[in-house]
Amino acid sequence: MEVQRQIAAIEDARRQLDVLRSFAERPGVPVVYDTNMLNHWQQPENIDWKTLLAGEGLDGKHARLVVPLVVIDELDRQKYGNGPLAVKAATAIRYLERKLAGAAPAEAVKLREGVTLEVRLDPPGHRRAEPDLEILRCAAELEGIVPAAGTRVLTDDYGMRLRAQGMGLATLRLPAAYRKAGTGMDSPTVDGVPLPAQA
């Protein structure tokens, strides 16, 4: 009985290793999405990833957009609320469903030349932490298994950027021109003085 349990554990570990190897071997610069980027920013296929990644000193020929499963769970919760956030979350979920339709779970799909989109599923037996930490764990996993790829955490949240820095992870911000209208960041001011434009 114990031998059978050990064999089953080894086979399970081998399957997980095969999944991880497939995940690691996909081409491109991994860009791990924070939830706010799907709610408040333009859809991924409309972004000039090549120019953005080149500005980071990276080879921008291929952008590998990774959405952790926890982000989809957050969007699902938000879409049942009231107000503009619920509308934006529902729009983001519909976008992801449309683009990933027909793909196997965690399979990368082509959005356009040089840009793919994939969902990172939770590993078997994974115990979830709070959403921001889960997103950063996903980025840290990619950074650990493909360190030369230049993984970036895509976020506009200051707290998330600080957390990422604390974990030694690089972040990426989009130019303000990609922000959807109707957010509190449209014309930010402090005591009536406009803040400088986002770099």
Side-chain angles (χ1 to χ4, degrees), residues 29 31 33 37 41 44 46-61 63 65 112 152 154 171-176 178 198-199:
V29 177
V31 177
Y33 259 78
M37 302 309 297
W41 298 79
N46 297 331
I47 294 167
D48 183 357
W49 295 106
K50 184 174 182 178
T51 299
L52 283 172
L53 295 174
E56 294 279 305
L58 298 166
D59 180 358
K61 284 187 286 193
L65 311 181
R112 65 167 198 261
R152 294 293 189 270
L154 182 68
T171 61
L172 178 65
R173 297 179 74 184
L174 295 180
Y178 287 115
Q198 175 179 302

Side-chain angles (χ1 to χ4, degrees), residues 7-43:
I7 290 171
I10 289 169
E11 289 174 350
D12 184 54
R14 184 181 298 122
R15 281 191 297 272
Q16 290 184 41
L17 184 60
D18 288 342
V19 169
L20 190 60
R21 183 179 295 115
S22 171
F23 182 60
E25 289 174 349
R26 292 176 184 163
V29 177
V31 177
V32 179
Y33 259 78
D34 187 7
T35 312
N36 68 78
M37 302 309 297
L38 288 165
N39 278 330
H40 304 300
W41 298 79
Q42 288 186 28
Q43 294 174 337

Side-chain angles (χ1 to χ4, degrees), residues 19-150:
V19 169
L20 190 60
R21 183 179 295 115
S22 171
F23 182 60
E25 289 174 349
R26 292 176 184 163
V29 177
V31 177
V32 179
Y33 259 78
D34 187 7
T35 312
N36 68 78
M37 302 309 297
L38 288 165
N39 278 330
H40 304 300
W41 298 79
Q42 288 186 28
Q43 294 174 337
E45 67 194 64
N46 297 331
I47 294 167
D48 183 357
W49 295 106
K50 184 174 182 178
T51 299
L52 283 172
L53 295 174
E56 294 279 305
L58 298 166
D59 180 358
K61 284 187 286 193
H62 191 105
R64 178 186 174 189
L65 311 181
V66 180
V67 179
L69 183 60
V70 69
V71 167
I72 293 176
D73 291 343
E74 277 200 296
L75 291 170
D76 272 328
R77 281 192 296 273
Q78 292 169 352
K79 75 182 181 185
Y80 291 110
N82 294 313
L85 180 60
V87 173
K88 288 179 179 182
T91 301
I93 284 289
R94 285 195 300 270
Y95 172 83
L96 292 172
E97 284 182 317
R98 189 171 67 253
K99 292 301 176 182
L100 298 169
E107 180 183 347
V109 298
K110 182 177 176 180
L111 294 182
R112 65 167 198 261
E113 193 61 41
V115 183
T116 57
L117 176 70
E118 64 193 83
V119 174
R120 175 60 174 146
L121 299 177
D122 294 339
H126 178 70
R127 295 175 67 103
R128 279 231 181 135
E130 57 96 11
D132 281 2
L133 186 55
E134 286 297 314
I135 294 165
L136 293 173
R137 277 184 180 174
C138 177
E141 178 184 54
L142 280 161
E143 180 68 16
I145 58 180
V146 281

